[in-house]
């Protein structure tokens, strides 16, 4: 390419007639062929030509990898004379948005350089070119233009056409060495593409355009420059999963380079200042995570958590201030330990290429069986069916929290409370989790620790003011009644988890787990070897859920008035002028159940849903289609509700907690 540019510039001043075809007119563009040579010189084998496209204001056309939507140009030279092949090159693109969708291409004018190879060297030729282009503004229009350019025998160079071609050939991305750019480290997982690069001359306004197969798509990059602008760090959220090799085109003003990426096992560390494009930086996101964790304390999924907290407070009434403070600090430590452990598991799974999300552990029959067994133990102990005495290593320790000075039960109580809070997606939790799961390991750990801190705040408040528990009524016979009520509520929670297990793994698994749990409680009531019985019983419950085969996956049942979710239906119905409401739910998501009972099935909302296409996606069982849909919308947990329509083809995403006014307003906006 450098030799071509040298030849063009050396001959710019030659005053010969321009080799330009007649213009071809489309509805939103004008196209023409131009050639640096006005003829074929003796022995000439190639011709430097270009496809010039002038677009009307507001219209754009596409690069070879158009982004989330769009089509690259296609050319045909069928019917040409003395033309063996035509190779089309692509100048570096620009980024533009259409309905919040990332696209790569050109506006106003683009000249696609063409390298034309002659069949017979030195002989005259005629290039007849047909180009199929997609141009978009508020709508997209396919354009087909046909042009012809005669190249007689003779040779020579036209200054104006040569200058135009030289400019656009110079915009075609070259190799990294010529551009003075070095790609250092690249990491790609299911959530984000992260990379670092260095430049000989400082970056000024860089951009990154990834190419990862036909389906690969990425959101706008977050870019941080350091070392005087010579070092670049970028993170691009994954919108669509691609396949095959990954090519990266780095563009910075007049320089551009395309590099084949060699993927690393781990993402490069985020530099100081990363995250400024996602809500004000890591510090702001940590505050959001703390607030989300605090709100989890009052979400509908924390019924067993509230029972455990209240029982712990009642039993602490006769203890010293020092013991109360130590016990509640141990519970707070249990909450933090769970969230830090969850962060470690997520980092490990992501490194192994496994998709992860908030609350998806409730899709696991083994996890559900373990929770059912533990809740049954808590409930039976609270109701006095047996006396739990597990010493320092106790998982509950609630019956003797004050004895022996052991805090193992307090620690386990906090950890268990954190586990039972995870089926909820409270306000701010979705934002924090999305930020964490599209960031590096350090950000994941920090955000999950902040959520744990928010959830542990009530324990920390009591630890700071242990005198609060002395204001509770003194223990008496009434306490027995309270414990029976709280134990009953925990049993109701276990029954609810059994229904979730039945939906996830089948009725046979749920019945087996229920029978094994009942047998464990009967053995505990015999008051013999309590610790051994609990350990053996929980092991049998978990083993039963793991060994019993689940029934074949069947189409998910949907509520009356809803249709089963099919992502393709959204675009089809919107194109037909219809409004679509999508509800992603699961039997284990109590926030989803609250939205259904309090909003989607009450007031004016059911009538509004009856007049549109209502699609329900059941995520009780793992479903890659639903997981991909959530990820494409920047979510990693549920509930998720969105409304699509002619006025909102990209969708209006609703908050985690629905209200009637929010739903009706979104339906009106989407329908136009």
């Amino acid at each position: 390419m450098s030799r071509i540019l040298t030849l063009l510039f050396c001959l710019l001043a030659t005053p010969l007639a321009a080799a330009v075809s007649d213009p071809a007119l489309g509805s939103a563009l004008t196209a023409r062929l131009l050639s640096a040579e006005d003829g074929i010189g003796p022995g000439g084998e190639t011709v430097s030509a270009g496809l010039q496209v002038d677009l009307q204001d507001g219209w754009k056309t596409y690069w070879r990898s158009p982004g989330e939507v769009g089509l690259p140009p296609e050319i045909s030279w069928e019917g040409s004379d003395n033309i063996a092949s035509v190779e089309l090159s692509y100048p570096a693109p620009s980024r533009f948005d259409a309905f919040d969708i990332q696209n790569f291409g050109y506006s106003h004018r683009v000249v696609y350089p063409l390298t034309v190879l002659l069949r017979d060297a030195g002989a005259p030729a005629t290039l007849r070119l047909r180009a199929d282009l997609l141009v978009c503004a508020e709508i997209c229009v396919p354009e087909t233009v046909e042009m012809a350019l005669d190249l007689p025998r003779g040779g020579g160079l036209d200054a104006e056409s040569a200058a135009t071609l030289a400019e656009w050939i110079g915009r075609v991305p070259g190799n990294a060495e010529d551009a003075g750019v070095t790609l250092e480290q690249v990491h790609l997982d299911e959530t984000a593409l992260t990379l670092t690069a260095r430049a000989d001359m400082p970056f000024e306004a860089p951009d990154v355009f990834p190419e990862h197969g036909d389906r690969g798509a990425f959101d706008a990059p977050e870019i941080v420059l350091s070392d005087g602008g010579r070092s670049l760090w970028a993170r691009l959220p994954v919108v669509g999963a691609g396949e095959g090799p990954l090519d990266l085109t780095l563009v910075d003003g007049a320089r551009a380079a395309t590099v084949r990426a060699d993927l690393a096992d781990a993402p490069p560390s985020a530099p100081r200042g990363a995250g400024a494009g996602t809500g004000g930086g890591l510090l702001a996101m940590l505050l959001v995570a703390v607030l989300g964790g605090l709100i989890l304390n009052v979400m509908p999924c924390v019924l067993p958590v509230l029972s455990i907290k209240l029982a712990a407070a009642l039993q602490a009434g006769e203890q010293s201030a020092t013991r109360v403070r130590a016990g509640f600090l141990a519970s707070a430590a249990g909450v933090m330990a769970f969230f830090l452990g969850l962060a470690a598991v997520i980092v490990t799974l992501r490194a192994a290429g496994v998709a992860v999300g908030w609350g998806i552990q409730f899709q696991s029959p083994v996890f559900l069986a373990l929770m059912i067994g533990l809740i049954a133990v808590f409930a039976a102990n609270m109701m006095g069916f047996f006396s739990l005495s597990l010493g320092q290593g106790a998982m509950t320790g609630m019956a003797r929290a004050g004895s022996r000075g052991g805090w193992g039960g307090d620690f386990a109580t906090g950890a268990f409370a954190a586990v039972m809070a995870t089926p909820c997606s409270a306000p701010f939790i979705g934002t924090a989790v999305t930020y964490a799961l599209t960031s590096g390991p350090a950000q994941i750990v920090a955000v999950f620790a902040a959520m744990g801190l928010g959830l542990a705040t009530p324990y920390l408040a009591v630890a700071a003011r242990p005198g609060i528990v002395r204001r509770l009524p003194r223990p008496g016979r009434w306490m027995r009644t309270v414990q029976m009520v709280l134990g009953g509520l925990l049993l109701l929670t276990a029954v609810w988890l059994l229904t979730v297990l039945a939906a996830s793994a089948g009725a046979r698994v749920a019945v087996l787990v229920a029978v094994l749990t009942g047998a464990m409680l009967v053995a505990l009531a015999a008051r013999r070897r309590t610790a051994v019985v609990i350990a053996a019983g929980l092991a049998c419950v978990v083993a039963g859920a793991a060994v019993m085969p689940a029934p074949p996956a069947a189409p998910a049942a949907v509520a009356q008035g809803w249709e089963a979710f099919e992502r393709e239906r959204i675009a089809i119905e919107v194109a037909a002028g219809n409004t679509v409401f999508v509800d992603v739910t699961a039997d284990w998501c109590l926030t989803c159940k609250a939205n259904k009972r309090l909003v989607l099935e009450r007031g004016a909302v059911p009538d509004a849903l009856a007049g549109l296409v209502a699609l329900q996606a059941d995520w009780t069982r793992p479903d890659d289609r639903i997981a991909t849909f959530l990820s494409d919308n920047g979510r990693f947990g549920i509930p998720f509700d969105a409304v699509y329509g002619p006025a909102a083809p990209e969708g209006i995403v609703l908050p985690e907690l629905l209200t009637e006014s929010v739903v009706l307003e979104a339906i009106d906006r989407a329908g136009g």
Side-chain angles (χ1 to χ4, degrees):
M1 182 175 294
S2 60
R3 288 184 295 177
I4 294 175
L5 288 173
T6 302
L7 175 63
L8 292 176
F9 281 114
C10 288
L11 299 175
L12 281 180
T14 306
L16 296 172
V20 180
S21 71
D22 292 332
L25 302 179
S27 59
L29 61 81
T30 301
R32 56 176 51 86
L33 286 173
L34 54 89
S35 172
E37 299 94 343
D38 68 339
I40 307 299
E45 297 180 349
T46 61
V47 176
S48 296
L51 169 60
Q52 178 176 312
V53 179
D54 292 293
L55 299 156
Q56 296 179 11
D57 290 343
W59 291 84
K60 301 173 178 66
T61 192
Y62 291 96
W63 188 45
R64 64 179 177 232
S65 293
E68 295 182 53
V69 297
L71 293 172
E74 294 184 0
I75 61 171
S76 170
W77 57 91
E78 185 177 353
S80 298
D81 297 329
N82 193 29
I83 303 297
S85 65
V86 179
E87 180 183 352
L88 183 144
S89 299
Y90 293 87
S94 298
R95 182 185 301 273
F96 56 89
D97 292 342
F99 302 108
D100 293 329
I101 297 175
Q102 294 292 307
N103 295 271
F104 313 145
Y106 317 94
S107 59
H108 303 299
R109 169 179 288 185
V110 58
V111 178
Y112 297 99
L114 303 172
T115 302
V116 181
L117 178 64
L118 302 180
R119 184 176 292 108
D120 297 324
T126 299
L127 175 60
R128 294 182 174 89
L129 193 76
R130 170 192 169 106
D132 294 316
L133 305 163
L134 183 67
V135 295
C136 294
E138 297 299 325
I139 60 173
C140 290
V141 178
E143 300 269 22
T144 298
V145 289
E146 295 182 358
M147 300 146 285
L149 181 63
D150 290 326
L151 298 166
R153 193 186 306 272
L157 203 71
D158 173 73
E160 183 177 353
S161 296
T164 300
L165 280 173
E167 175 189 353
W168 287 93
I169 290 174
R171 298 187 187 186
V172 175
N175 57 49
E177 183 178 358
D178 291 343
V181 175
T182 303
L183 195 61
E184 293 184 322
Q185 185 176 353
V186 181
H187 176 263
L188 175 65
D189 56 30
E190 72 282 356
T191 60
L193 166 67
T194 313
L195 63 100
T196 54
R198 290 194 65 83
D200 297 340
M201 299 295 293
F203 289 107
E204 295 180 0
D207 204 345
V208 182
F209 300 93
E211 299 174 80
H212 194 210
D214 293 336
R215 298 184 179 181
F218 301 83
D219 209 340
E222 176 191 0
I223 295 177
V224 178
L225 300 178
S226 58
D227 191 19
R230 289 180 171 81
S231 180
L232 176 148
W233 175 92
R235 176 165 52 87
L236 298 84
V238 173
V239 175
E243 56 185 9
L246 174 66
D247 292 327
L248 300 176
T249 297
L250 279 71
V251 178
D252 183 41
R255 61 177 170 176
T258 298
V259 185
R260 176 64 53 86
D262 294 324
L263 297 181
D265 295 333
S269 300
R272 187 174 183 179
T278 55
L282 179 59
L283 179 59
M285 197 54 58
L286 293 180
L287 295 176
V288 169
V290 170
L291 184 58
L294 182 61
I295 295 176
L296 275 178
N297 285 283
V298 294
M299 294 298 292
C301 53
V302 296
L303 175 62
V305 178
L306 294 176
S307 299
I308 295 170
K309 289 179 180 178
L310 181 57
L314 291 174
Q315 293 180 354
E318 293 297 308
Q319 297 172 356
S320 67
T322 300
R323 178 63 184 89
V324 170
R325 177 179 289 112
F328 278 87
L329 284 176
S331 295
V335 173
M336 296 300 297
F338 169 78
F339 273 90
L340 291 173
L342 182 59
V345 170
I346 288 175
V347 170
T348 302
L349 291 176
R350 283 188 57 191
V354 178
V356 292
W358 179 253
I360 61 172
Q361 67 270 23
F362 282 82
Q363 294 175 341
S364 167
V366 171
F367 177 84
L368 289 171
L370 178 61
M371 289 299 100
I372 291 167
L374 283 174
I375 290 176
V377 171
F378 270 91
N381 177 237
M382 192 175 294
M383 298 172 73
F385 291 174
F386 66 92
S387 177
L388 185 63
S389 179
L390 304 180
Q392 300 288 337
M395 294 189 66
T396 58
M398 294 183 60
R400 298 188 178 184
S403 66
R404 304 186 189 179
W407 299 312
D410 298 311
F411 179 90
T413 296
F416 183 70
V419 172
M420 293 308 301
T422 53
C424 276
S425 183
F428 304 107
I429 285 293
T431 302
V433 170
T434 298
Y435 175 88
L437 295 185
T438 55
S439 303
Q443 288 87 347
I444 292 176
V445 173
V447 169
F448 275 77
M451 284 192 289
L453 181 63
L455 185 62
T457 296
Y459 292 114
L460 295 174
V462 175
R465 299 292 299 273
I468 294 176
V469 298
R470 295 188 177 275
R471 299 180 183 178
L472 296 173
R474 296 178 63 83
R477 296 182 61 182
W478 66 270
M479 235 181 113
R480 180 65 180 161
T481 302
V482 171
Q483 287 183 316
M484 291 294 291
V485 171
L486 296 179
L489 293 177
L490 284 177
L491 284 180
L492 289 177
T493 302
V495 172
W496 163 65
L497 287 178
L498 278 171
T499 64
V500 175
L501 181 61
S504 175
R508 292 185 304 169
V509 176
V511 170
L512 176 62
V513 168
V515 170
L516 292 174
T517 302
M520 176 179 62
L521 295 181
V522 170
L524 286 173
R527 303 174 184 272
R528 294 182 180 179
R529 299 180 180 267
T530 303
V532 175
V533 171
I534 290 178
L538 291 177
C540 290
V541 169
V542 170
V547 173
M548 177 71 74
V558 296
Q560 185 176 2
W562 295 82
E563 299 180 57
F565 172 76
E566 293 179 5
R567 187 171 185 175
E568 297 78 10
R569 283 280 304 278
I570 299 174
I572 294 172
E573 296 293 346
V574 170
N578 298 324
T579 302
V580 181
F581 190 100
V582 177
D583 174 47
V584 184
T585 183
D587 288 345
W588 46 264
C589 174
L590 286 177
T591 309
C592 303
K593 300 297 183 184
N595 284 338
K596 177 182 177 182
R597 301 294 185 190
L598 301 178
V599 178
L600 298 181
E601 295 181 346
R602 296 180 62 179
V605 174
D607 291 337
L609 294 178
L612 47 79
V613 179
L615 304 179
Q616 190 173 79
D618 188 343
W619 208 30
T620 301
R621 288 186 176 189
D623 190 320
D624 291 339
R625 298 177 305 112
I626 298 175
T628 300
F629 175 70
L630 291 172
S631 177
D632 290 349
N633 283 277
R635 287 289 185 86
F636 296 89
I638 56 175
F640 176 82
D641 295 275
V643 187
Y644 302 80
E650 74 283 5
I652 301 172
V653 178
L654 305 183
E656 288 92 346
L657 294 181
L658 300 179
T659 64
E660 179 177 310
S661 61
V662 166
V663 173
L664 296 178
E665 179 184 353
I667 292 174
D668 288 340
R669 287 172 52 199

